Amino acid sequence: MRKENILILSFLLFIQVYLCKNVKVRKFKGSVFYLFREIKIYKKKVNFQVKNSCTFLTGIKPSGDIHLGNYIGCLHPIINLEAKRKKNFINEKKEQVIKLNKIILIADLHCLTNLNNIFSLKKNVLDTMKVIISLIIDMFIKKKKYIDIYINDIKLEKILKLFKCDFDSNISKFLPSSNSNISQSFFDYEKELNNLNINNTHNIKDHIFSESTESYNNYEENTDYHHEKYYEKNIHQKHFFYIFRQSDIQVHTSLYYLINSFTSINLLNSHVHIKTSGYNKSVSLLSYPNLMLSDILLYKPNYLIIGLDQNKNVEIIKKICKKMNNYFPSVAKMPEIYSRKFNIEIMNLDGHRKMSKNDLLDNLNFYKIIYLFDEKDIIEKKIKKSKTDNFNYLKYGEANRREINNLINIYIFFYYYKIKSISEKIKKYHKTLYSLEKIFLNETEKNSEGNKTTYEFSHNEKSTSNDIKYLNFFKNSIDVKNSLNIINEDKLFFKKNNINPNFNEKVVNNILSSYNNNYYNFKNDLTLLISYHFLTSKYYYNFLLSKDNLINKILKMGKRSLSIRAIKTFKDFKKKLNL
């Protein structure tokens, strides 16, 4: 009997141990023991490396009000970025939902390079958060048919319910009406929607296809826009925005300290901000690229969205990554930098300095910066006071005309997206899109416009094969060197004169020809383009001004959703360094 009881008890124990994953054995008075099942608490993890998904990262400093340079450089690309299907794509199977992870880092630690920013840092963080949310809502209203948006793992509709805000209520009165009395304006809606007129003088076809009307007619005749092959359907996708404060996640500073051990002071002295600053240089300013690298390594994005002013910082970061990988292979991997069509640095309205928030301290520079939610009258005053030049004609792409080139860059940006939004409303998207894309150069057109130099080499018939090989190698090396020199000269030319290398200058100048060299009408239309572009986002921004408590909660949710990911990557980084 004892043996049978022991067998039965052992069998029951085996079954209980097999069924229970986590078992704890506790002895009681030496003879009796109990089996407990411990319940595991599974924390929700953000998985960025999933099929049909991609991660983008950008950062913005909350050192002041957001201006056009911040918007065109980083905020507009990451917010309005979406997945697109390739042309001539037909798939009978059901497509999977595409997920885009968009991480927007509010870099408050980067603001500590200037001690004057400390006093208004909390307020500026909340203000930038309100601006970003209002811009996301504006994008969602336009694309809500095929895009679902989540902010810090919360659906946008739920956030708006917390704010007690409706999408379509009270917005129509802020939008420009069709009965507007603006003369020679870009915004005569009835004529725009029917004829796609610009300033009541030219059609889009006339603007862009005056030189190549045959290509447009052939395209229009041979293309069936309703056919599935040419009709680009919108892909259903989910956009996950992760917005958080940099100082909330402590791993940023700990990884930043580890990166400091790999960097030399001589390398950091080549930094742009160090050269321009005076003698009183802070350590935070000196090690600015190190903190930037820690932000990148913690979240492992596929693409990095930065402005052109950060390119020299990226060069220093790449050198630091090389040094780290020499000691510990494949520790630091840099993501690809996202290339965009409007690849230009927005300057002040004088055209000579970068549009910067630090100029707020100087009252003279107030009229040189356009902020996102400025009133229409203020924008008009600023643009009227903007510096142009002594020439009496509007033309883009000429040397020594930095001021007018800068204004035209801003104009073409808002012009492009305005016409695109109108074409979507009137369901002539494919005709106008074909014409709008002519503003930008193709790869073949870029290569054809580049200056190429050829070198001829002569050799005797008696020369040996080794001599010929040497001459061919010498010829190729000189071609490479000269081509690199030409590319560098072109880059310097574009940068000095505020010219976008992606623009087709003939098409841009054809658009500007409708003004008949009238600077007044050009500046008037530019003010209208800027003010009307931010109407809906400005409405929601004013609504969010009194919602500081809810915005703080959203920031805390961003900390929760990304802190687990950051801590895990930091632990892996420490293991690779044998720490």
Side-chain angles (χ1 to χ4, degrees):
M1 288 294 291
R2 287 181 181 177
K3 289 182 180 180
E4 290 176 357
N5 290 331
I6 290 165
L7 288 170
I8 291 164
L9 284 170
S10 61
F11 179 72
L12 290 171
L13 285 170
F14 176 75
I15 291 169
Q16 194 170 1
V17 170
Y18 183 75
L19 292 174
C20 299
K21 291 182 180 179
N22 301 309
V23 178
K24 276 189 178 181
V25 180
R26 292 185 182 179
K27 292 183 180 180
F28 183 72
K29 293 183 180 179
S31 58
V32 184
F33 63 91
Y34 300 95
L35 292 172
F36 295 94
R37 184 179 175 185
E38 188 180 341
I39 299 167
K40 262 193 176 181
I41 299 168
Y42 292 97
K43 293 182 180 179
K44 191 177 180 181
K45 295 182 181 180
V46 182
N47 189 8
F48 292 120
Q49 306 299 328
V50 186
K51 288 183 179 180
N52 297 325
S53 70
C54 193
T55 305
F56 299 87
L57 174 68
T58 191
I60 185 164
K61 286 170 65 177
S63 56
D65 295 333
I66 296 172
H67 50 72
L68 288 184
N70 302 129
Y71 178 71
I72 296 171
C74 65
L75 286 180
H76 183 270
I78 198 165
I79 290 170
N80 292 279
L81 189 142
E82 60 180 274
K84 291 183 180 179
R85 184 180 292 154
K86 293 180 180 179
K87 292 181 180 179
N88 304 332
F89 177 82
I90 298 170
N91 191 5
E92 296 177 355
K93 296 180 181 179
K94 291 183 179 180
E95 294 180 354
Q96 294 181 355
V97 178
I98 293 169
K99 296 179 182 179
L100 296 181
N101 301 307
K102 301 178 179 181
I103 303 171
I104 301 173
L105 181 139
I106 300 173
D108 56 345
L109 294 177
H110 285 284
C111 294
L112 299 178
T113 54
N114 189 358
L115 293 175
N116 295 319
N117 296 326
I118 295 173
F119 304 104
S120 60
L121 195 58
K122 284 185 179 179
K123 183 185 175 183
N124 290 334
V125 167
L126 292 174
D127 194 33
T128 52
M129 188 72 182
K130 290 170 189 174
V131 171
I132 291 165
I133 291 172
S134 62
L135 292 171
I136 291 168
I137 294 168
D138 186 15
M139 184 270 285
F140 180 68
I141 290 167
K142 295 172 184 174
K143 303 174 182 179
K144 61 183 177 181
K145 291 181 180 178
Y146 60 96
I147 291 178
D148 297 328
I149 290 177
Y150 296 82
I151 298 175
N152 296 336
D153 293 328
I154 307 169
K155 206 167 185 180
L156 186 60
E157 288 90 338
K158 291 183 180 179
I159 292 171
L160 289 169
K161 283 180 182 178
L162 291 172
F163 289 145
K164 296 179 181 179
C165 179
D166 296 328
F167 277 123
D168 300 323
S169 63
N170 300 323
I171 297 175
S172 59
K173 64 182 180 181
F174 290 96
L175 295 173
S177 62
S178 60
N179 297 321
S180 58
N181 296 320
I182 302 168
S183 60
Q184 291 185 352
S185 171
F186 200 93
F187 299 95
D188 193 353
Y189 260 47
E190 289 181 356
K191 293 181 180 179
E192 272 188 315
L193 296 176
N194 294 324
N195 302 320
L196 287 173
N197 285 341
I198 300 165
N199 291 321
N200 304 327
T201 55
H202 288 279
N203 199 328
I204 287 180
K205 292 182 192 177
D206 299 331
H207 270 288
I208 298 172
F209 290 98
S210 62
E211 296 183 358
S212 59
T213 52
E214 293 180 0
S215 63
Y216 183 84
N217 292 326
N218 292 328
Y219 179 84
E220 196 171 10
E221 288 173 2
N222 298 324
T223 306
D224 184 9
Y225 295 104
H226 299 287
H227 196 270
E228 288 184 357
K229 188 181 283 188
Y230 296 98
Y231 186 75
E232 293 182 0
K233 293 179 182 178
N234 295 318
I235 306 169
H236 182 62
Q237 50 198 292
K238 291 182 179 180
H239 292 193
F240 291 88
F241 287 91
Y242 296 99
I243 311 163
F244 67 101
R245 193 191 285 115
Q246 187 184 19
S247 60
D248 286 343
I249 298 173
Q250 297 178 358
V251 189
H252 285 271
T253 53
S254 52
L255 182 58
Y256 157 74
Y257 188 80
L258 288 175
I259 292 166
N260 285 338
S261 59
F262 290 94
T263 54
S264 62
I265 295 170
N266 293 326
L267 179 63
L268 295 174
N269 277 326
S270 61
H271 191 249
V272 184
H273 299 290
I274 297 298
K275 290 179 179 179
T276 54
S277 62
Y279 292 101
N280 297 322
K281 300 172 185 177
S282 63
V283 179
S284 60
L285 182 65
L286 188 71
S287 58
Y288 188 93
N290 294 351
L291 186 58
M292 193 173 168
L293 179 58
S294 68
D295 300 333
I296 295 165
L297 294 178
L298 281 175
Y299 304 104
K300 298 179 181 178
N302 301 107
Y303 293 95
L304 185 67
I305 298 174
I306 54 169
L308 287 179
D309 57 331
Q310 300 294 329
N311 282 339
K312 291 188 178 179
N313 293 335
V314 171
E315 289 176 4
I316 295 169
I317 287 168
K318 286 179 180 177
K319 290 177 182 178
I320 297 167
C321 288
K322 273 187 181 180
K323 193 173 181 181
M324 292 171 73
N325 291 325
N326 288 332
Y327 287 98
F328 302 96
S330 67
V331 169
K333 292 181 181 179
M334 274 294 292
E336 293 183 15
I337 293 169
Y338 180 74
S339 61
R340 51 191 181 274
K341 295 175 182 177
F342 293 95
N343 191 19
I344 192 68
E345 188 176 357
I346 302 300
M347 312 298 283
N348 280 349
L349 295 180
D350 60 355
H352 291 280
R353 290 180 62 191
K354 186 189 80 167
M355 197 174 278
S356 177
K357 297 171 189 172
N358 294 327
D359 293 335
L360 271 172
L361 301 172
D362 191 0
N363 292 324
L364 295 172
N365 291 320
F366 175 75
Y367 286 99
K368 296 179 182 178
I369 303 167
I370 297 173
Y371 301 102
L372 291 195
F373 301 140
D374 277 344
E375 296 295 332
K376 184 182 169 184
D377 299 333
I378 296 169
I379 295 169
E380 191 175 358
K381 284 180 184 177
K382 288 179 178 179
I383 290 174
K384 281 182 179 178
K385 288 184 178 182
S386 63
K387 191 177 178 182
T388 53
D389 48 32
N390 296 323
F391 297 96
N392 294 323
Y393 60 92
L394 270 171
K395 196 171 182 181
Y396 183 74
E398 289 190 348
N400 300 321
R401 297 192 71 184
R402 300 183 65 182
E403 300 87 358
I404 194 64
N405 286 334
N406 184 41
L407 289 176
I408 293 168
N409 285 326
I410 299 168
Y411 174 83
I412 293 295
F413 176 82
F414 291 104
Y415 168 89
Y416 176 80
Y417 288 105
K418 182 64 187 173
I419 296 295
K420 202 172 181 181
S421 64
I422 293 166
S423 61
E424 287 173 356
K425 287 179 183 177
I426 61 172
K427 298 180 181 179
K428 291 182 181 178
Y429 179 70
H430 307 287
K431 293 182 182 180
T432 53
L433 184 64
Y434 177 77
S435 58
L436 274 174
E437 292 302 320
K438 286 287 179 180
I439 293 172
F440 305 103
L441 292 170
N442 298 324
E443 291 182 0
T444 55
E445 290 174 344
K446 286 180 185 178
N447 293 327
S448 63
E449 287 191 358
N451 296 321
K452 294 181 180 179
T453 55
T454 56
Y455 295 89
E456 294 182 357
F457 289 86
S458 61
H459 58 275
N460 297 323
E461 294 178 356
K462 296 180 181 179
S463 59
T464 60
S465 61
N466 291 324
D467 294 333
I468 293 166
K469 286 179 182 178
Y470 176 75
L471 286 169
N472 289 326
F473 175 76
F474 184 68
K475 177 183 175 181
N476 293 326
S477 63
I478 288 176
D479 286 336
V480 169
K481 286 179 182 178
N482 285 294
S483 61
L484 288 171
N485 290 328
I486 290 163
I487 289 165
N488 291 327
E489 286 175 3
D490 289 339
K491 284 181 179 179
L492 287 171
F493 175 78
F494 291 137
K495 189 176 181 180
K496 284 180 181 178
N497 297 297
N498 296 333
I499 299 169
N500 191 342
N502 296 327
F503 282 173
N504 190 343
E505 293 179 9
K506 292 179 182 178
V507 176
V508 172
N509 288 322
N510 194 19
I511 292 166
L512 296 172
S513 65
S514 63
Y515 291 101
N516 294 322
N517 300 322
N518 191 337
Y519 279 79
Y520 178 79
N521 290 335
F522 171 74
K523 288 185 176 182
N524 187 22
D525 285 351
L526 182 56
T527 55
L528 293 170
L529 277 169
I530 295 167
S531 59
Y532 284 121
H533 184 83
F534 298 108
L535 273 178
T536 52
S537 54
K538 187 179 178 181
Y539 167 75
Y540 285 106
Y541 172 76
N542 292 327
F543 183 81
L544 295 173
L545 285 174
S546 60
K547 308 289 182 182
D548 291 344
N549 293 326
L550 289 171
I551 285 165
N552 279 319
K553 287 181 181 178
I554 294 168
L555 280 170
K556 287 179 182 177
M557 291 297 294
K559 178 187 174 182
R560 287 178 189 173
S561 56
L562 287 177
S563 59
I564 299 166
R565 172 77 181 176
I567 291 164
K568 187 181 177 182
T569 52
F570 180 66
K571 285 180 180 178
D572 294 337
F573 189 83
K574 282 174 70 179
K575 284 180 183 178
K576 289 178 181 178
L577 297 180
N578 297 322
L579 293 174

